Every structure is written in C-alpha cells, then in structure tokens.
Amino acid sequence: MTTNVTVNGKKTVCRSDDDTPLLWVLRDELGLTGTKFGCGAALCGACTVMLDGEAVRSCQLPVSAANDKHVHTVESLSVDNSHALQRAWIAHDVPQCGYCQSGQLMSAAALLARNKNPSDDEIDQAMSGNLCRCGTYSRIRAAIKSAAADLRKST
C-alpha cells in the first residue's frame, strides 16, 4: 500500500505496510532519525511528533493514520538551532543524556503553537506524557517559558 503524507513540508509517498508504526516509516524509510524509539508502548514520549499540529506518539500510530496529513518531526524546527525552543533548550542546559529531547521539543512545539503564554500548570499538563530519566523537568519548564516569551516578541 502507499500512504501520502506531508513530512516537514515535503509531500511524500510512503510504501510501508499500512499498519507499520509511523516511527519506523520516519526513521527507516525516510531517514529522519531525530524521532527516537523509547518504550514502544506510547508511554515515554521519546517518539513524539506533530500530526496536523497535535502531539502524537509515533511508535503506536500506524502510518495509514497519517494519510493525507501533515507530520512534523524535530528536524522541522531548524537545522541550525535557531528555533526559539532550541535556543531556550541550550540556554537553560536542558539536555543531559538527550534521548528524550526530540519528543520533549515536539510536545513543547505543539503546546506553543496553540498557546503562546502557557501557565506552569498548562506546561506540566502538555508535557506530562514525556519522561525524562535525567529529571530536567524544571529546566524544561523554564525553557518553554523562555521560548514562549521569545515567540510572543516576534509576533
């Protein structure tokens, strides 16, 4: 079967079986390895991407569910760390091991796409499905608040 999906702004025809998890299509078929495999059960958030603007877990989402939709991966933020979230992540020293970071960034991007001034509770709720084994949650929240402030200035 084929699935037509727009990935990071580029129309793509995926040739994987309809029930193949989107994660593996992104990584293996399209070569976008920024999205990580964590638990495989949609519990940790490492595989988070945006599907039509909503944060979703790609490890459990069949590629057929993305047919005629828009997918954004961490690679869509920027290649030079110029996105407000990437700059804030660096400024607040968020990454340690880095494994969860692509999922964290995509959940944060989905939040800021719909709410440019989130409260701590809104941030915590939006990020609650993303696990960080290094425990940088307070730095993640601070980085999201900084990025939100930058985004509000630029609009």
Side-chain angles (χ1 to χ4, degrees), residues 55-144:
V56 298
R57 306 299 187 253
S58 64
C59 71
Q60 290 291 303
L61 187 76
V63 68
S64 59
N67 193 48
D68 294 327
K69 295 186 178 181
H70 294 265
V71 173
H72 285 90
T73 68
V74 69
E75 289 92 348
S76 73
L77 295 180
S78 81
V79 295
D80 62 356
N81 291 327
S82 62
H83 188 279
L85 279 166
Q86 293 167 313
R87 290 192 319 268
W89 244 240
I90 293 165
H92 288 274
D93 292 322
V94 172
Q96 287 193 18
C97 80
Y99 202 81
C100 71
Q101 296 310 304
S102 60
Q104 299 277 4
L105 283 162
M106 294 314 294
S107 289
L111 168 64
L112 295 181
R114 68 179 181 274
N115 182 352
K116 299 263 191 291
N117 194 19
S119 68
D120 286 349
D121 286 341
E122 290 167 325
I123 292 171
D124 292 348
Q125 174 135 5
M127 303 304 290
S128 66
N130 293 78
L131 303 178
C132 174
R133 292 180 64 122
C134 300
T136 65
Y137 297 111
S138 61
R139 286 186 272 178
I140 289 168
R141 185 188 303 133
I144 292 170

